[in-house]
Amino acid sequence: MNESETRAELIDPKLRAAGWGIVEESKILREHVITQGRVQSGGRGKKEIADYVLVYKGIKLAIVEAKGEDVPVSEGVMQAKKYASKLKIETTYSTNGKEIYYINMSTGEENLVASFLSPQQLWEMTFPQTEKVN
């Protein structure tokens, strides 16, 4: 499967299974423009476009970089990190539909995971509640 087919048949269902686009106030932005491309002689350079940006409660919480099913999941890691850095987003993923590679930009944690975090899980991880001590 090419990247487009992988997204439609493998990645989109996994995002829905985690609640993205289903849970109230959650959205999936597809083909989200990160930058318009550098201005250079003869016009602009290439736009940078994230395959998916996961939004919950109006806040962008994660980037998902998609690759074709037959491409190693590691191929999207640098791109995912680059986009997350530009958007100042803590969580990013690279996936080929079969494997999901999770990256936490703040802690440096990286590993293969079984599924995407749900909107609420990602929210709680991004904005941890601190208990008040009386």
Side-chain angles (χ1 to χ4, degrees):
M1 275 192 270
N2 65 28
E3 183 180 319
S4 180
E5 292 165 331
T6 300
R7 288 166 62 178
E9 295 185 30
L10 299 177
I11 300 170
D12 287 357
K14 287 181 180 181
L15 287 168
R16 280 192 302 276
W20 291 99
I22 296 171
V23 170
E24 190 173 334
E25 294 190 81
S26 72
K27 287 196 297 193
I28 301 170
L29 305 179
R30 290 173 175 81
E31 308 247 334
H32 183 73
V33 176
I34 305 290
T35 64
Q36 291 295 328
R38 266 182 63 188
V39 176
Q40 53 194 29
S41 61
R44 286 193 176 270
K46 187 178 175 188
K47 288 181 183 180
E48 292 180 308
I49 300 172
D51 293 319
Y52 301 90
V53 176
L54 305 180
V55 179
Y56 185 51
K57 298 182 181 181
I59 297 177
K60 295 172 184 161
L61 294 180
I63 301 282
V64 179
E65 181 56 34
K67 295 298 175 192
E69 177 188 30
D70 297 329
V71 176
V73 71
S74 59
E75 290 289 317
V77 170
M78 291 310 295
Q79 201 172 359
K81 287 180 177 181
K82 179 179 170 184
Y83 294 163
S85 180
K86 286 189 177 202
L87 289 179
K88 296 179 179 23
I89 293 177
E90 185 175 298
T91 302
T92 190
Y93 298 94
S94 175
T95 184
N96 58 10
K98 294 185 290 189
E99 294 182 308
I100 301 169
Y101 192 78
Y102 162 83
I103 303 153
N104 184 306
M105 299 291 287
S106 297
T107 66
E109 177 187 355
E110 298 186 21
N111 55 306
L112 287 172
V113 294
S115 60
F116 294 102
L117 292 171
S118 71
Q120 189 61 39
Q121 289 170 319
L122 196 50
W123 181 268
E124 290 170 3
M125 190 180 78
T126 305
F127 304 107
Q129 297 294 318
T130 55
E131 290 186 36
K132 292 182 181 179
V133 177
N134 291 333

